PDB file of all heavy atoms in Angstrom:
ATOM      1  N   VAL A 241       5.793  -4.198   1.568  1.00  0.00           N
ATOM      2  CA  VAL A 241       6.627  -3.246   2.303  1.00  0.00           C
ATOM      3  C   VAL A 241       8.079  -3.485   1.896  1.00  0.00           C
ATOM      4  O   VAL A 241       8.575  -4.614   1.971  1.00  0.00           O
ATOM      5  CB  VAL A 241       6.463  -3.439   3.824  1.00  0.00           C
ATOM      6  CG1 VAL A 241       7.414  -2.526   4.588  1.00  0.00           C
ATOM      7  CG2 VAL A 241       5.017  -3.196   4.235  1.00  0.00           C
ATOM      8  N   ILE A 242       8.738  -2.418   1.478  1.00  0.00           N
ATOM      9  CA  ILE A 242      10.140  -2.487   1.066  1.00  0.00           C
ATOM     10  C   ILE A 242      11.000  -1.973   2.224  1.00  0.00           C
ATOM     11  O   ILE A 242      10.714  -0.919   2.797  1.00  0.00           O
ATOM     12  CB  ILE A 242      10.388  -1.633  -0.190  1.00  0.00           C
ATOM     13  CG1 ILE A 242       9.506  -2.123  -1.342  1.00  0.00           C
ATOM     14  CG2 ILE A 242      11.865  -1.646  -0.577  1.00  0.00           C
ATOM     15  CD1 ILE A 242       9.512  -1.211  -2.553  1.00  0.00           C
ATOM     16  N   SER A 243      12.043  -2.738   2.559  1.00  0.00           N
ATOM     17  CA  SER A 243      12.929  -2.287   3.623  1.00  0.00           C
ATOM     18  C   SER A 243      14.386  -2.549   3.216  1.00  0.00           C
ATOM     19  O   SER A 243      14.652  -3.490   2.488  1.00  0.00           O
ATOM     20  CB  SER A 243      12.606  -3.015   4.932  1.00  0.00           C
ATOM     21  OG  SER A 243      12.813  -4.396   4.775  1.00  0.00           O
ATOM     22  N   PRO A 244      15.296  -1.693   3.643  1.00  0.00           N
ATOM     23  CA  PRO A 244      15.063  -0.501   4.443  1.00  0.00           C
ATOM     24  C   PRO A 244      14.368   0.575   3.619  1.00  0.00           C
ATOM     25  O   PRO A 244      14.329   0.490   2.381  1.00  0.00           O
ATOM     26  CB  PRO A 244      16.469  -0.067   4.846  1.00  0.00           C
ATOM     27  CG  PRO A 244      17.349  -0.584   3.759  1.00  0.00           C
ATOM     28  CD  PRO A 244      16.696  -1.852   3.273  1.00  0.00           C
ATOM     29  N   PRO A 245      13.809   1.585   4.311  1.00  0.00           N
ATOM     30  CA  PRO A 245      13.134   2.656   3.570  1.00  0.00           C
ATOM     31  C   PRO A 245      14.105   3.382   2.648  1.00  0.00           C
ATOM     32  O   PRO A 245      15.311   3.381   2.879  1.00  0.00           O
ATOM     33  CB  PRO A 245      12.619   3.586   4.669  1.00  0.00           C
ATOM     34  CG  PRO A 245      13.237   3.142   5.930  1.00  0.00           C
ATOM     35  CD  PRO A 245      13.826   1.787   5.730  1.00  0.00           C
ATOM     36  N   GLY A 246      13.563   3.968   1.607  1.00  0.00           N
ATOM     37  CA  GLY A 246      14.401   4.638   0.612  1.00  0.00           C
ATOM     38  C   GLY A 246      15.111   5.855   1.156  1.00  0.00           C
ATOM     39  O   GLY A 246      14.496   6.848   1.485  1.00  0.00           O
ATOM     40  N   ASN A 247      16.370   5.765   1.279  1.00  0.00           N
ATOM     41  CA  ASN A 247      17.252   6.852   1.695  1.00  0.00           C
ATOM     42  C   ASN A 247      18.599   6.617   1.029  1.00  0.00           C
ATOM     43  O   ASN A 247      18.850   5.564   0.463  1.00  0.00           O
ATOM     44  CB  ASN A 247      17.442   6.864   3.224  1.00  0.00           C
ATOM     45  CG  ASN A 247      16.193   7.304   3.954  1.00  0.00           C
ATOM     46  OD1 ASN A 247      15.553   8.275   3.574  1.00  0.00           O
ATOM     47  ND2 ASN A 247      15.834   6.580   4.994  1.00  0.00           N
ATOM     48  N   GLY A 248      19.468   7.578   1.131  1.00  0.00           N
ATOM     49  CA  GLY A 248      20.806   7.378   0.604  1.00  0.00           C
ATOM     50  C   GLY A 248      21.634   6.556   1.578  1.00  0.00           C
ATOM     51  O   GLY A 248      21.601   6.796   2.778  1.00  0.00           O
ATOM     52  N   TYR A 249      22.342   5.570   1.090  1.00  0.00           N
ATOM     53  CA  TYR A 249      23.186   4.735   1.931  1.00  0.00           C
ATOM     54  C   TYR A 249      24.612   4.772   1.396  1.00  0.00           C
ATOM     55  O   TYR A 249      24.828   4.743   0.193  1.00  0.00           O
ATOM     56  CB  TYR A 249      22.668   3.291   1.960  1.00  0.00           C
ATOM     57  CG  TYR A 249      21.300   3.189   2.585  1.00  0.00           C
ATOM     58  CD1 TYR A 249      20.154   3.148   1.797  1.00  0.00           C
ATOM     59  CD2 TYR A 249      21.143   3.157   3.958  1.00  0.00           C
ATOM     60  CE1 TYR A 249      18.901   3.077   2.365  1.00  0.00           C
ATOM     61  CE2 TYR A 249      19.894   3.085   4.540  1.00  0.00           C
ATOM     62  CZ  TYR A 249      18.778   3.048   3.745  1.00  0.00           C
ATOM     63  OH  TYR A 249      17.531   2.981   4.309  1.00  0.00           O
ATOM     64  N   GLU A 250      25.561   4.848   2.300  1.00  0.00           N
ATOM     65  CA  GLU A 250      26.964   4.906   1.907  1.00  0.00           C
ATOM     66  C   GLU A 250      27.598   3.533   1.803  1.00  0.00           C
ATOM     67  O   GLU A 250      28.736   3.405   1.367  1.00  0.00           O
ATOM     68  CB  GLU A 250      27.740   5.769   2.901  1.00  0.00           C
ATOM     69  CG  GLU A 250      27.314   7.219   2.867  1.00  0.00           C
ATOM     70  CD  GLU A 250      28.085   8.082   3.838  1.00  0.00           C
ATOM     71  OE1 GLU A 250      29.039   7.580   4.466  1.00  0.00           O
ATOM     72  OE2 GLU A 250      27.741   9.255   3.966  1.00  0.00           O
ATOM     73  N   THR A 251      26.883   2.502   2.218  1.00  0.00           N
ATOM     74  CA  THR A 251      27.381   1.136   2.127  1.00  0.00           C
ATOM     75  C   THR A 251      26.321   0.284   1.437  1.00  0.00           C
ATOM     76  O   THR A 251      25.184   0.711   1.252  1.00  0.00           O
ATOM     77  CB  THR A 251      27.660   0.543   3.528  1.00  0.00           C
ATOM     78  OG1 THR A 251      26.439   0.519   4.261  1.00  0.00           O
ATOM     79  CG2 THR A 251      28.689   1.358   4.277  1.00  0.00           C
ATOM     80  N   ILE A 252      26.701  -0.913   1.077  1.00  0.00           N
ATOM     81  CA  ILE A 252      25.747  -1.838   0.464  1.00  0.00           C
ATOM     82  C   ILE A 252      24.726  -2.251   1.520  1.00  0.00           C
ATOM     83  O   ILE A 252      25.082  -2.574   2.647  1.00  0.00           O
ATOM     84  CB  ILE A 252      26.463  -3.077  -0.089  1.00  0.00           C
ATOM     85  CG1 ILE A 252      27.407  -2.671  -1.235  1.00  0.00           C
ATOM     86  CG2 ILE A 252      25.463  -4.118  -0.563  1.00  0.00           C
ATOM     87  CD1 ILE A 252      28.277  -3.799  -1.734  1.00  0.00           C
ATOM     88  N   VAL A 253      23.445  -2.197   1.165  1.00  0.00           N
ATOM     89  CA  VAL A 253      22.379  -2.670   2.054  1.00  0.00           C
ATOM     90  C   VAL A 253      21.588  -3.750   1.314  1.00  0.00           C
ATOM     91  O   VAL A 253      21.537  -3.764   0.081  1.00  0.00           O
ATOM     92  CB  VAL A 253      21.432  -1.535   2.503  1.00  0.00           C
ATOM     93  CG1 VAL A 253      22.159  -0.515   3.341  1.00  0.00           C
ATOM     94  CG2 VAL A 253      20.754  -0.877   1.313  1.00  0.00           C
ATOM     95  N   LEU A 254      20.990  -4.656   2.064  1.00  0.00           N
ATOM     96  CA  LEU A 254      20.120  -5.664   1.464  1.00  0.00           C
ATOM     97  C   LEU A 254      18.691  -5.144   1.449  1.00  0.00           C
ATOM     98  O   LEU A 254      18.171  -4.690   2.472  1.00  0.00           O
ATOM     99  CB  LEU A 254      20.185  -6.980   2.242  1.00  0.00           C
ATOM    100  CG  LEU A 254      21.464  -7.783   2.067  1.00  0.00           C
ATOM    101  CD1 LEU A 254      21.411  -9.049   2.912  1.00  0.00           C
ATOM    102  CD2 LEU A 254      21.679  -8.149   0.602  1.00  0.00           C
ATOM    103  N   VAL A 255      18.071  -5.202   0.288  1.00  0.00           N
ATOM    104  CA  VAL A 255      16.693  -4.755   0.128  1.00  0.00           C
ATOM    105  C   VAL A 255      15.783  -5.964   0.272  1.00  0.00           C
ATOM    106  O   VAL A 255      15.940  -6.965  -0.431  1.00  0.00           O
ATOM    107  CB  VAL A 255      16.484  -4.093  -1.249  1.00  0.00           C
ATOM    108  CG1 VAL A 255      15.026  -3.693  -1.443  1.00  0.00           C
ATOM    109  CG2 VAL A 255      17.407  -2.893  -1.412  1.00  0.00           C
ATOM    110  N   GLY A 256      14.857  -5.873   1.200  1.00  0.00           N
ATOM    111  CA  GLY A 256      13.873  -6.929   1.403  1.00  0.00           C
ATOM    112  C   GLY A 256      12.487  -6.429   1.080  1.00  0.00           C
ATOM    113  O   GLY A 256      12.203  -5.227   1.188  1.00  0.00           O
TER     114      GLY A 256
END
Side-chain angles (χ1 to χ4, degrees):
V241 175
I242 301 171
S243 62
N247 289 315
Y249 296 97
E250 294 180 6
T251 61
I252 295 173
V253 296
L254 287 179
V255 177

